[in-house]
Amino acid sequence: MEKAKISTSQLFIVMILFQLSNSLLIPLAMRAGRDSWLAILIATAISIFLFFIYRALYLYYPSLLLTDYTEKLIGKVLGRTLAFLYILFFLYSAARVLREFGVMLLSFAFPETPLFVASALMILVVIYTIYKGIEVVARTGELLFVVMLMLAFFLFLLIAISGLIDISNLRPTLEDSPKILKTVFTETLYVPFGEIIVFTMIFPYLNQAKKLKKTAVAAISITGVALAFTTILNISVLGVPLIERSLFPLLTTIQSIEVGEFLERLDVIFILALIIGGFFKVAVYTYCALIGTASLFNIKEPSKLAYPLGITVLFTSMVIASNYSQHIEEGLNAFPIYVQLPFQIILPVFLLFIAFIKNRKK
Amino acid sequence: MSRKWIIPFFMAACLPFLSGCWSSIELKELAIVSAYALDKKEDGTYVGTFQLINPMNVPGALQGGASGQNPSIATYTATGDNPLEVADRASTIVSRDLYFAHTSLLVISEELAREEGLSSILDAMERGIEFRTTTKIVISRDVKAGEFVQVLTAIDQVPAEKAIKSLEFTEELYGENIATNLQKFINAAVSTGKEPLVSGFSVEGDIEKAKTMEQLQSSDGSATIKVNGMGVFKEGKLVNWIDGEKSEGTLWVLDQIRQAPVNIDWENHEDAISYKVVRQKTNVATKIKDGKPAISVHIRAEGDLRVIEVPVDITNPHVLFRIEGALQQKIQAEAKAAIEVAQKTKTDIFGFGEKLHHSEPKVWQQFEKEWQDVYFPALDVDVTVEAFIRRTGMRNNPYLFDLNKKSE
């Protein structure tokens, strides 16, 4: 762990940007069709419970990282193995986000640029940021958050003015309620909400531990509402069939804007949101892998790990899938159930259970 | 290399990537396509005609709007097996890269729309990066799509712009048309409870002359582009045309009327009173009656009297009520006629099915599959109209009233 502190407002911003990131851009919870926004809201509510599990673990060891207290809880060999697996999980998640970022950028803005170049440029920036440490990541967040807020406001204003919103696209609601719950538990709960598991690596840096609960709950709820709102906007502008065919619904919504015959072709808003979001999620994931590795292997200067880990993420992102359809297929059907469910929910609950028993003995 | 050189080295190494020149294209290597027209040849291949903007001849602001000696557009024709191949072939003829991001009009010939439909064409447009889904679609009626985009226009330098403007004006002023873009078309085409409508265009006059500068050198031109009816699509294919009053009726039901005029007969005088709609709202309600769907359409219109060609005492509110009653009957008849035509062709252009899906999602499932062919044609539609005359222009009684008094 490096010697650094972040404030509650910084944590709040980092959490929001981290969760919004790619979730804002890809079709979220679309298996629930018209009711996807409901699925998002339900997932938000459940993820607040998840946060309380992570927080309970943090309260047992307020100065330790997730990868440190696994050793204390389940023994040296098992604990260190688990910590190592968590680091791999963070690296893989970072690689997935980087791949999504690269593909989005290429598929509509730079069709002739190789994926490797776009990803490499992004990872260079990420490497530089995490080399500087968590404080710099948090301060970058503060800066970018203002940009994101302005973009969101501008975008909503334009969509409202151009008269594209057709609320009747949202009806009928609750056409298939079991499907909503199924979507929540197979998909939406893990991306983006369950991903806050990485913050167990960041909570110890907080300067006012008492305010953690308020800050994080506010950040999670605001993210949930923002995502649900974006989904409502997309559905009411585009209609469900078109969203299901779109790789990036928000982009299609932005492209539909035509105000006064000159405010149109506003794709640049999407590119900005894409770069800010992609940068942030990759940076946070890689940073958590970095401090985890540093503490697991007792490396005195964690920042030296920035280059090797960054390049690992870059190459992993290149080899995880041969095309985007395969990438999405894995992201929807395999990754949530076989990787995210155990790492985000089952293992933390198990660790909490052990922590509870161990501390009761004392 | 010493350590202090590493960072400058990295920064220098990034420079070639960061300049953003990777796939840059110079402006002079681009040909901006303003309209894309597709026809079909007998052997099944597509013939694409591209209306390219000729930047040298479009007068800029600095030139004070004086038009050049040459046409402001150039058109090129190429053939191919799909829209993309056509565009690629055309690029080789034009010797520039065709740039589609500013294409505002997609013209499909009537023949192609009828025989093959649009389903196989539009995917290329929707999938492509440059092509916008806000591009308007029109059908060229009784004329080849390729010839349609070759006609020069006088006041608007770019014919594609002129076509879109006249489309929007007829939509707004006459309520006889509808501007459909790619996105709306595809959304309606994939929906089980709705079918798309696309405006038709025709060319009146001598097309061959209209392609040359002769067209612009006379005040009336050799040929004019005209909006002409709305094409009804079913399963992606053009099946029917709606013209005149029927198209107005269609737009009444679709809640798309903005300023349409309504003429009514008065005491044996044909079209004696003209009414201009200012505000309009159509509500469509669905209900299930004896296990069968029923639709009630309620139209509410507000407007002014604009032309009165018979002596009517409009200072008398009772007379105004009678005029309102006549207006209601007229609008109701138009709307009903439009619905009947749609039922006859078995195409739910009004989206009644979609409305039913919204309000009765459970019942909809049993109708969904056979909606267009069985349930929609047999649908019980009830049309009610409320028309209000709010003002009568700058005068009350027409001067004809006084003329009549004089002659008595």
PDB file of all heavy atoms in Angstrom, chain A residues 34 107-108 112 114 117 168 171-172 175 238 242 245 256 258 265 267, chain B residues 14 22-23 101-102 126 129 132 134 183 186-187 190 357-358 361:
ATOM      1  N   ARG A  34     -37.971  -3.834 -22.930  1.00  0.00           N
ATOM      2  CA  ARG A  34     -38.497  -2.529 -22.564  1.00  0.00           C
ATOM      3  C   ARG A  34     -38.314  -2.205 -21.079  1.00  0.00           C
ATOM      4  O   ARG A  34     -38.327  -1.069 -20.677  1.00  0.00           O
ATOM      5  CB  ARG A  34     -39.986  -2.534 -22.876  1.00  0.00           C
ATOM      6  CG  ARG A  34     -40.407  -1.480 -23.832  1.00  0.00           C
ATOM      7  CD  ARG A  34     -41.835  -1.714 -24.193  1.00  0.00           C
ATOM      8  NE  ARG A  34     -41.947  -1.940 -25.610  1.00  0.00           N
ATOM      9  CZ  ARG A  34     -42.141  -3.121 -26.163  1.00  0.00           C
ATOM     10  NH1 ARG A  34     -42.253  -4.198 -25.406  1.00  0.00           N
ATOM     11  NH2 ARG A  34     -42.224  -3.236 -27.460  1.00  0.00           N
ATOM     12  N   SER A 107     -14.806   1.245 -34.381  1.00  0.00           N
ATOM     13  CA  SER A 107     -15.908   0.866 -35.254  1.00  0.00           C
ATOM     14  C   SER A 107     -16.645   2.067 -35.801  1.00  0.00           C
ATOM     15  O   SER A 107     -17.319   1.954 -36.807  1.00  0.00           O
ATOM     16  CB  SER A 107     -16.858  -0.096 -34.553  1.00  0.00           C
ATOM     17  OG  SER A 107     -17.294   0.466 -33.371  1.00  0.00           O
ATOM     18  N   PHE A 108     -16.548   3.249 -35.154  1.00  0.00           N
ATOM     19  CA  PHE A 108     -17.247   4.346 -35.814  1.00  0.00           C
ATOM     20  C   PHE A 108     -16.377   5.572 -36.069  1.00  0.00           C
ATOM     21  O   PHE A 108     -16.757   6.432 -36.838  1.00  0.00           O
ATOM     22  CB  PHE A 108     -18.505   4.747 -35.044  1.00  0.00           C
ATOM     23  CG  PHE A 108     -18.242   5.586 -33.846  1.00  0.00           C
ATOM     24  CD1 PHE A 108     -18.424   6.953 -33.910  1.00  0.00           C
ATOM     25  CD2 PHE A 108     -17.818   5.024 -32.677  1.00  0.00           C
ATOM     26  CE1 PHE A 108     -18.171   7.732 -32.809  1.00  0.00           C
ATOM     27  CE2 PHE A 108     -17.575   5.800 -31.578  1.00  0.00           C
ATOM     28  CZ  PHE A 108     -17.753   7.164 -31.639  1.00  0.00           C
ATOM     29  N   GLU A 112      -9.871   2.572 -39.959  1.00  0.00           N
ATOM     30  CA  GLU A 112      -8.689   1.972 -40.577  1.00  0.00           C
ATOM     31  C   GLU A 112      -7.517   1.817 -39.615  1.00  0.00           C
ATOM     32  O   GLU A 112      -6.480   1.278 -39.977  1.00  0.00           O
ATOM     33  CB  GLU A 112      -8.256   2.812 -41.783  1.00  0.00           C
ATOM     34  CG  GLU A 112      -9.161   2.578 -42.981  1.00  0.00           C
ATOM     35  CD  GLU A 112      -9.140   3.744 -43.938  1.00  0.00           C
ATOM     36  OE1 GLU A 112      -8.069   4.307 -44.151  1.00  0.00           O
ATOM     37  OE2 GLU A 112     -10.214   4.086 -44.458  1.00  0.00           O
ATOM     38  N   PRO A 114      -5.428   0.187 -36.607  1.00  0.00           N
ATOM     39  CA  PRO A 114      -5.433  -1.125 -35.945  1.00  0.00           C
ATOM     40  C   PRO A 114      -5.847  -0.989 -34.481  1.00  0.00           C
ATOM     41  O   PRO A 114      -5.561   0.027 -33.844  1.00  0.00           O
ATOM     42  CB  PRO A 114      -3.972  -1.574 -36.034  1.00  0.00           C
ATOM     43  CG  PRO A 114      -3.336  -0.708 -37.034  1.00  0.00           C
ATOM     44  CD  PRO A 114      -4.087   0.566 -37.077  1.00  0.00           C
ATOM     45  N   VAL A 117      -3.131  -0.099 -31.823  1.00  0.00           N
ATOM     46  CA  VAL A 117      -2.650   1.277 -31.674  1.00  0.00           C
ATOM     47  C   VAL A 117      -3.573   2.075 -30.754  1.00  0.00           C
ATOM     48  O   VAL A 117      -3.117   2.760 -29.830  1.00  0.00           O
ATOM     49  CB  VAL A 117      -2.533   1.949 -33.050  1.00  0.00           C
ATOM     50  CG1 VAL A 117      -2.133   3.390 -32.904  1.00  0.00           C
ATOM     51  CG2 VAL A 117      -1.527   1.206 -33.889  1.00  0.00           C
ATOM     52  N   SER A 168     -44.282   6.591 -25.483  1.00  0.00           N
ATOM     53  CA  SER A 168     -45.074   5.379 -25.727  1.00  0.00           C
ATOM     54  C   SER A 168     -44.184   4.189 -26.073  1.00  0.00           C
ATOM     55  O   SER A 168     -44.603   3.045 -25.981  1.00  0.00           O
ATOM     56  CB  SER A 168     -46.095   5.622 -26.834  1.00  0.00           C
ATOM     57  OG  SER A 168     -45.434   5.702 -28.063  1.00  0.00           O
ATOM     58  N   ARG A 171     -43.916   1.643 -23.251  1.00  0.00           N
ATOM     59  CA  ARG A 171     -45.023   0.775 -22.877  1.00  0.00           C
ATOM     60  C   ARG A 171     -45.044  -0.478 -23.731  1.00  0.00           C
ATOM     61  O   ARG A 171     -44.576  -0.449 -24.858  1.00  0.00           O
ATOM     62  CB  ARG A 171     -46.339   1.541 -23.017  1.00  0.00           C
ATOM     63  CG  ARG A 171     -46.448   2.621 -21.959  1.00  0.00           C
ATOM     64  CD  ARG A 171     -47.817   3.196 -21.901  1.00  0.00           C
ATOM     65  NE  ARG A 171     -48.188   3.802 -23.178  1.00  0.00           N
ATOM     66  CZ  ARG A 171     -49.423   4.150 -23.488  1.00  0.00           C
ATOM     67  NH1 ARG A 171     -50.384   3.989 -22.634  1.00  0.00           N
ATOM     68  NH2 ARG A 171     -49.689   4.676 -24.666  1.00  0.00           N
ATOM     69  N   PRO A 172     -45.593  -1.610 -23.337  1.00  0.00           N
ATOM     70  CA  PRO A 172     -46.147  -1.833 -22.002  1.00  0.00           C
ATOM     71  C   PRO A 172     -45.050  -2.196 -21.006  1.00  0.00           C
ATOM     72  O   PRO A 172     -44.128  -2.913 -21.361  1.00  0.00           O
ATOM     73  CB  PRO A 172     -47.062  -3.036 -22.230  1.00  0.00           C
ATOM     74  CG  PRO A 172     -46.421  -3.765 -23.362  1.00  0.00           C
ATOM     75  CD  PRO A 172     -45.751  -2.752 -24.218  1.00  0.00           C
ATOM     76  N   GLU A 175     -44.038  -6.471 -18.990  1.00  0.00           N
ATOM     77  CA  GLU A 175     -44.647  -7.457 -19.872  1.00  0.00           C
ATOM     78  C   GLU A 175     -44.234  -8.865 -19.452  1.00  0.00           C
ATOM     79  O   GLU A 175     -44.984  -9.805 -19.546  1.00  0.00           O
ATOM     80  CB  GLU A 175     -44.207  -7.192 -21.318  1.00  0.00           C
ATOM     81  CG  GLU A 175     -45.122  -7.819 -22.325  1.00  0.00           C
ATOM     82  CD  GLU A 175     -44.743  -7.416 -23.747  1.00  0.00           C
ATOM     83  OE1 GLU A 175     -43.711  -6.773 -23.946  1.00  0.00           O
ATOM     84  OE2 GLU A 175     -45.507  -7.758 -24.640  1.00  0.00           O
ATOM     85  N   LEU A 238     -35.249   5.600 -29.456  1.00  0.00           N
ATOM     86  CA  LEU A 238     -34.972   4.640 -30.518  1.00  0.00           C
ATOM     87  C   LEU A 238     -35.993   3.512 -30.616  1.00  0.00           C
ATOM     88  O   LEU A 238     -36.218   2.971 -31.692  1.00  0.00           O
ATOM     89  CB  LEU A 238     -33.591   4.009 -30.304  1.00  0.00           C
ATOM     90  CG  LEU A 238     -32.406   4.961 -30.195  1.00  0.00           C
ATOM     91  CD1 LEU A 238     -31.168   4.185 -29.843  1.00  0.00           C
ATOM     92  CD2 LEU A 238     -32.209   5.709 -31.481  1.00  0.00           C
ATOM     93  N   LEU A 242     -34.505  -1.365 -32.267  1.00  0.00           N
ATOM     94  CA  LEU A 242     -33.300  -0.699 -32.762  1.00  0.00           C
ATOM     95  C   LEU A 242     -32.171  -0.799 -31.749  1.00  0.00           C
ATOM     96  O   LEU A 242     -31.012  -1.029 -32.113  1.00  0.00           O
ATOM     97  CB  LEU A 242     -33.611   0.769 -33.084  1.00  0.00           C
ATOM     98  CG  LEU A 242     -32.466   1.576 -33.687  1.00  0.00           C
ATOM     99  CD1 LEU A 242     -31.878   0.867 -34.879  1.00  0.00           C
ATOM    100  CD2 LEU A 242     -32.950   2.941 -34.083  1.00  0.00           C
ATOM    101  N   ARG A 245     -30.456  -4.034 -31.916  1.00  0.00           N
ATOM    102  CA  ARG A 245     -29.557  -4.189 -33.056  1.00  0.00           C
ATOM    103  C   ARG A 245     -28.311  -3.315 -32.942  1.00  0.00           C
ATOM    104  O   ARG A 245     -27.336  -3.557 -33.641  1.00  0.00           O
ATOM    105  CB  ARG A 245     -30.299  -3.842 -34.354  1.00  0.00           C
ATOM    106  CG  ARG A 245     -31.011  -5.040 -34.966  1.00  0.00           C
ATOM    107  CD  ARG A 245     -31.745  -4.651 -36.217  1.00  0.00           C
ATOM    108  NE  ARG A 245     -32.850  -3.762 -35.895  1.00  0.00           N
ATOM    109  CZ  ARG A 245     -33.037  -2.581 -36.471  1.00  0.00           C
ATOM    110  NH1 ARG A 245     -32.236  -2.151 -37.384  1.00  0.00           N
ATOM    111  NH2 ARG A 245     -34.064  -1.849 -36.115  1.00  0.00           N
ATOM    112  N   SER A 256     -29.246  10.663 -33.733  1.00  0.00           N
ATOM    113  CA  SER A 256     -30.606  11.031 -34.156  1.00  0.00           C
ATOM    114  C   SER A 256     -30.904  12.500 -33.922  1.00  0.00           C
ATOM    115  O   SER A 256     -31.903  13.010 -34.402  1.00  0.00           O
ATOM    116  CB  SER A 256     -31.652  10.220 -33.392  1.00  0.00           C
ATOM    117  OG  SER A 256     -31.283   8.884 -33.296  1.00  0.00           O
ATOM    118  N   GLU A 258     -31.296  16.229 -34.269  1.00  0.00           N
ATOM    119  CA  GLU A 258     -31.256  17.223 -35.344  1.00  0.00           C
ATOM    120  C   GLU A 258     -31.949  18.452 -34.809  1.00  0.00           C
ATOM    121  O   GLU A 258     -33.164  18.477 -34.695  1.00  0.00           O
ATOM    122  CB  GLU A 258     -32.030  16.731 -36.574  1.00  0.00           C
ATOM    123  CG  GLU A 258     -31.294  15.744 -37.425  1.00  0.00           C
ATOM    124  CD  GLU A 258     -32.131  15.291 -38.605  1.00  0.00           C
ATOM    125  OE1 GLU A 258     -33.296  14.909 -38.380  1.00  0.00           O
ATOM    126  OE2 GLU A 258     -31.633  15.322 -39.729  1.00  0.00           O
ATOM    127  N   ARG A 265     -25.058  15.555 -36.060  1.00  0.00           N
ATOM    128  CA  ARG A 265     -23.778  14.852 -36.144  1.00  0.00           C
ATOM    129  C   ARG A 265     -22.911  15.170 -34.926  1.00  0.00           C
ATOM    130  O   ARG A 265     -21.788  15.644 -35.044  1.00  0.00           O
ATOM    131  CB  ARG A 265     -23.009  15.240 -37.408  1.00  0.00           C
ATOM    132  CG  ARG A 265     -23.895  15.467 -38.628  1.00  0.00           C
ATOM    133  CD  ARG A 265     -23.675  14.419 -39.656  1.00  0.00           C
ATOM    134  NE  ARG A 265     -24.208  14.740 -40.965  1.00  0.00           N
ATOM    135  CZ  ARG A 265     -25.489  14.640 -41.310  1.00  0.00           C
ATOM    136  NH1 ARG A 265     -26.393  14.316 -40.425  1.00  0.00           N
ATOM    137  NH2 ARG A 265     -25.856  14.872 -42.550  1.00  0.00           N
ATOM    138  N   ASP A 267     -21.481  13.289 -32.754  1.00  0.00           N
ATOM    139  CA  ASP A 267     -20.802  12.090 -32.275  1.00  0.00           C
ATOM    140  C   ASP A 267     -19.673  12.391 -31.304  1.00  0.00           C
ATOM    141  O   ASP A 267     -19.293  11.551 -30.505  1.00  0.00           O
ATOM    142  CB  ASP A 267     -20.187  11.315 -33.444  1.00  0.00           C
ATOM    143  CG  ASP A 267     -21.201  10.980 -34.493  1.00  0.00           C
ATOM    144  OD1 ASP A 267     -22.312  11.515 -34.409  1.00  0.00           O
ATOM    145  OD2 ASP A 267     -20.877  10.179 -35.378  1.00  0.00           O
TER     146      ASP A 267
ATOM    147  N   CYS B  14       5.683   8.982 -29.256  1.00  0.00           N
ATOM    148  CA  CYS B  14       4.221   9.075 -29.366  1.00  0.00           C
ATOM    149  C   CYS B  14       3.798  10.020 -30.482  1.00  0.00           C
ATOM    150  O   CYS B  14       2.687   9.911 -30.991  1.00  0.00           O
ATOM    151  CB  CYS B  14       3.622   9.573 -28.059  1.00  0.00           C
ATOM    152  SG  CYS B  14       3.598   8.307 -26.808  1.00  0.00           S
ATOM    153  N   TRP B  22      -3.677   9.116 -39.131  1.00  0.00           N
ATOM    154  CA  TRP B  22      -3.654   7.715 -39.537  1.00  0.00           C
ATOM    155  C   TRP B  22      -4.464   7.444 -40.803  1.00  0.00           C
ATOM    156  O   TRP B  22      -3.954   6.998 -41.796  1.00  0.00           O
ATOM    157  CB  TRP B  22      -4.155   6.818 -38.409  1.00  0.00           C
ATOM    158  CG  TRP B  22      -3.820   5.404 -38.677  1.00  0.00           C
ATOM    159  CD1 TRP B  22      -4.391   4.607 -39.620  1.00  0.00           C
ATOM    160  CD2 TRP B  22      -2.800   4.634 -38.054  1.00  0.00           C
ATOM    161  NE1 TRP B  22      -3.797   3.390 -39.605  1.00  0.00           N
ATOM    162  CE2 TRP B  22      -2.825   3.369 -38.667  1.00  0.00           C
ATOM    163  CE3 TRP B  22      -1.882   4.884 -37.040  1.00  0.00           C
ATOM    164  CZ2 TRP B  22      -1.960   2.349 -38.280  1.00  0.00           C
ATOM    165  CZ3 TRP B  22      -1.038   3.870 -36.661  1.00  0.00           C
ATOM    166  CH2 TRP B  22      -1.067   2.631 -37.280  1.00  0.00           C
ATOM    167  N   SER B  23      -5.752   7.735 -40.727  1.00  0.00           N
ATOM    168  CA  SER B  23      -6.533   7.495 -41.936  1.00  0.00           C
ATOM    169  C   SER B  23      -7.118   8.806 -42.429  1.00  0.00           C
ATOM    170  O   SER B  23      -8.283   8.894 -42.756  1.00  0.00           O
ATOM    171  CB  SER B  23      -7.618   6.451 -41.691  1.00  0.00           C
ATOM    172  OG  SER B  23      -8.158   6.600 -40.411  1.00  0.00           O
ATOM    173  N   ALA B 101     -21.527  10.949 -45.263  1.00  0.00           N
ATOM    174  CA  ALA B 101     -22.026  11.481 -43.990  1.00  0.00           C
ATOM    175  C   ALA B 101     -22.996  12.644 -44.179  1.00  0.00           C
ATOM    176  O   ALA B 101     -23.760  12.977 -43.305  1.00  0.00           O
ATOM    177  CB  ALA B 101     -20.868  11.904 -43.100  1.00  0.00           C
ATOM    178  N   HIS B 102     -22.983  13.287 -45.354  1.00  0.00           N
ATOM    179  CA  HIS B 102     -23.902  14.401 -45.571  1.00  0.00           C
ATOM    180  C   HIS B 102     -24.992  14.067 -46.581  1.00  0.00           C
ATOM    181  O   HIS B 102     -25.642  14.960 -47.119  1.00  0.00           O
ATOM    182  CB  HIS B 102     -23.122  15.651 -45.995  1.00  0.00           C
ATOM    183  CG  HIS B 102     -22.275  16.166 -44.897  1.00  0.00           C
ATOM    184  ND1 HIS B 102     -22.752  17.020 -43.935  1.00  0.00           N
ATOM    185  CD2 HIS B 102     -21.003  15.897 -44.548  1.00  0.00           C
ATOM    186  CE1 HIS B 102     -21.798  17.264 -43.060  1.00  0.00           C
ATOM    187  NE2 HIS B 102     -20.724  16.597 -43.414  1.00  0.00           N
ATOM    188  N   GLU B 126     -27.742   1.166 -42.819  1.00  0.00           N
ATOM    189  CA  GLU B 126     -27.804   1.231 -41.364  1.00  0.00           C
ATOM    190  C   GLU B 126     -26.470   0.802 -40.747  1.00  0.00           C
ATOM    191  O   GLU B 126     -26.025   1.337 -39.746  1.00  0.00           O
ATOM    192  CB  GLU B 126     -28.933   0.314 -40.861  1.00  0.00           C
ATOM    193  CG  GLU B 126     -29.315   0.593 -39.426  1.00  0.00           C
ATOM    194  CD  GLU B 126     -30.182  -0.482 -38.824  1.00  0.00           C
ATOM    195  OE1 GLU B 126     -30.241  -1.596 -39.369  1.00  0.00           O
ATOM    196  OE2 GLU B 126     -30.771  -0.229 -37.769  1.00  0.00           O
ATOM    197  N   ILE B 129     -20.734   3.162 -41.510  1.00  0.00           N
ATOM    198  CA  ILE B 129     -20.325   4.141 -40.505  1.00  0.00           C
ATOM    199  C   ILE B 129     -20.720   5.548 -40.932  1.00  0.00           C
ATOM    200  O   ILE B 129     -21.176   6.351 -40.144  1.00  0.00           O
ATOM    201  CB  ILE B 129     -18.802   4.067 -40.299  1.00  0.00           C
ATOM    202  CG1 ILE B 129     -18.427   2.685 -39.793  1.00  0.00           C
ATOM    203  CG2 ILE B 129     -18.344   5.124 -39.323  1.00  0.00           C
ATOM    204  CD1 ILE B 129     -16.941   2.447 -39.770  1.00  0.00           C
ATOM    205  N   ARG B 132     -26.040   8.165 -42.491  1.00  0.00           N
ATOM    206  CA  ARG B 132     -26.786   8.520 -41.289  1.00  0.00           C
ATOM    207  C   ARG B 132     -28.174   7.918 -41.309  1.00  0.00           C
ATOM    208  O   ARG B 132     -28.809   7.871 -42.359  1.00  0.00           O
ATOM    209  CB  ARG B 132     -26.922  10.037 -41.193  1.00  0.00           C
ATOM    210  CG  ARG B 132     -25.617  10.722 -41.098  1.00  0.00           C
ATOM    211  CD  ARG B 132     -25.019  10.472 -39.765  1.00  0.00           C
ATOM    212  NE  ARG B 132     -23.600  10.766 -39.783  1.00  0.00           N
ATOM    213  CZ  ARG B 132     -22.924  11.159 -38.719  1.00  0.00           C
ATOM    214  NH1 ARG B 132     -23.516  11.270 -37.566  1.00  0.00           N
ATOM    215  NH2 ARG B 132     -21.647  11.394 -38.814  1.00  0.00           N
ATOM    216  N   THR B 134     -30.601   9.362 -40.131  1.00  0.00           N
ATOM    217  CA  THR B 134     -31.561  10.456 -40.260  1.00  0.00           C
ATOM    218  C   THR B 134     -31.769  10.841 -41.727  1.00  0.00           C
ATOM    219  O   THR B 134     -32.512  11.766 -42.020  1.00  0.00           O
ATOM    220  CB  THR B 134     -31.093  11.692 -39.474  1.00  0.00           C
ATOM    221  OG1 THR B 134     -29.728  11.923 -39.784  1.00  0.00           O
ATOM    222  CG2 THR B 134     -31.233  11.492 -37.990  1.00  0.00           C
ATOM    223  N   GLN B 183     -34.347   5.565 -39.995  1.00  0.00           N
ATOM    224  CA  GLN B 183     -34.600   4.976 -38.681  1.00  0.00           C
ATOM    225  C   GLN B 183     -36.080   4.708 -38.463  1.00  0.00           C
ATOM    226  O   GLN B 183     -36.474   3.633 -38.028  1.00  0.00           O
ATOM    227  CB  GLN B 183     -34.073   5.965 -37.637  1.00  0.00           C
ATOM    228  CG  GLN B 183     -33.949   5.393 -36.263  1.00  0.00           C
ATOM    229  CD  GLN B 183     -33.173   6.366 -35.387  1.00  0.00           C
ATOM    230  OE1 GLN B 183     -32.102   6.842 -35.752  1.00  0.00           O
ATOM    231  NE2 GLN B 183     -33.705   6.697 -34.246  1.00  0.00           N
ATOM    232  N   ILE B 186     -37.246   1.736 -40.667  1.00  0.00           N
ATOM    233  CA  ILE B 186     -36.866   0.407 -40.182  1.00  0.00           C
ATOM    234  C   ILE B 186     -37.656   0.053 -38.928  1.00  0.00           C
ATOM    235  O   ILE B 186     -38.141  -1.065 -38.779  1.00  0.00           O
ATOM    236  CB  ILE B 186     -35.349   0.332 -39.929  1.00  0.00           C
ATOM    237  CG1 ILE B 186     -34.615   0.551 -41.253  1.00  0.00           C
ATOM    238  CG2 ILE B 186     -34.959  -1.001 -39.333  1.00  0.00           C
ATOM    239  CD1 ILE B 186     -33.125   0.639 -41.132  1.00  0.00           C
ATOM    240  N   ASN B 187     -37.827   1.041 -38.033  1.00  0.00           N
ATOM    241  CA  ASN B 187     -38.593   0.774 -36.816  1.00  0.00           C
ATOM    242  C   ASN B 187     -40.006   0.306 -37.131  1.00  0.00           C
ATOM    243  O   ASN B 187     -40.509  -0.633 -36.522  1.00  0.00           O
ATOM    244  CB  ASN B 187     -38.668   2.036 -35.946  1.00  0.00           C
ATOM    245  CG  ASN B 187     -37.543   2.081 -34.949  1.00  0.00           C
ATOM    246  OD1 ASN B 187     -36.817   1.103 -34.778  1.00  0.00           O
ATOM    247  ND2 ASN B 187     -37.389   3.202 -34.290  1.00  0.00           N
ATOM    248  N   VAL B 190     -40.002  -3.316 -38.849  1.00  0.00           N
ATOM    249  CA  VAL B 190     -39.780  -4.496 -38.008  1.00  0.00           C
ATOM    250  C   VAL B 190     -40.893  -4.689 -36.988  1.00  0.00           C
ATOM    251  O   VAL B 190     -41.027  -5.760 -36.416  1.00  0.00           O
ATOM    252  CB  VAL B 190     -38.419  -4.457 -37.259  1.00  0.00           C
ATOM    253  CG1 VAL B 190     -37.267  -4.455 -38.239  1.00  0.00           C
ATOM    254  CG2 VAL B 190     -38.327  -3.282 -36.323  1.00  0.00           C
ATOM    255  N   HIS B 357     -50.785  -3.253 -28.410  1.00  0.00           N
ATOM    256  CA  HIS B 357     -49.692  -3.905 -27.673  1.00  0.00           C
ATOM    257  C   HIS B 357     -49.360  -3.107 -26.412  1.00  0.00           C
ATOM    258  O   HIS B 357     -49.114  -3.671 -25.355  1.00  0.00           O
ATOM    259  CB  HIS B 357     -48.479  -4.006 -28.592  1.00  0.00           C
ATOM    260  CG  HIS B 357     -47.315  -4.720 -27.982  1.00  0.00           C
ATOM    261  ND1 HIS B 357     -46.056  -4.654 -28.489  1.00  0.00           N
ATOM    262  CD2 HIS B 357     -47.226  -5.505 -26.891  1.00  0.00           C
ATOM    263  CE1 HIS B 357     -45.247  -5.379 -27.736  1.00  0.00           C
ATOM    264  NE2 HIS B 357     -45.923  -5.895 -26.760  1.00  0.00           N
ATOM    265  N   HIS B 358     -49.372  -1.782 -26.521  1.00  0.00           N
ATOM    266  CA  HIS B 358     -49.035  -0.959 -25.357  1.00  0.00           C
ATOM    267  C   HIS B 358     -50.071  -1.070 -24.260  1.00  0.00           C
ATOM    268  O   HIS B 358     -49.735  -1.127 -23.082  1.00  0.00           O
ATOM    269  CB  HIS B 358     -48.896   0.507 -25.767  1.00  0.00           C
ATOM    270  CG  HIS B 358     -47.686   0.765 -26.607  1.00  0.00           C
ATOM    271  ND1 HIS B 358     -47.528   1.902 -27.345  1.00  0.00           N
ATOM    272  CD2 HIS B 358     -46.590   0.017 -26.825  1.00  0.00           C
ATOM    273  CE1 HIS B 358     -46.381   1.843 -27.987  1.00  0.00           C
ATOM    274  NE2 HIS B 358     -45.796   0.706 -27.691  1.00  0.00           N
ATOM    275  N   PRO B 361     -50.992  -5.743 -23.364  1.00  0.00           N
ATOM    276  CA  PRO B 361     -49.892  -6.612 -23.794  1.00  0.00           C
ATOM    277  C   PRO B 361     -50.232  -8.104 -23.785  1.00  0.00           C
ATOM    278  O   PRO B 361     -49.753  -8.853 -24.622  1.00  0.00           O
ATOM    279  CB  PRO B 361     -48.783  -6.298 -22.788  1.00  0.00           C
ATOM    280  CG  PRO B 361     -49.418  -5.581 -21.677  1.00  0.00           C
ATOM    281  CD  PRO B 361     -50.627  -4.912 -22.216  1.00  0.00           C
TER     282      PRO B 361
END
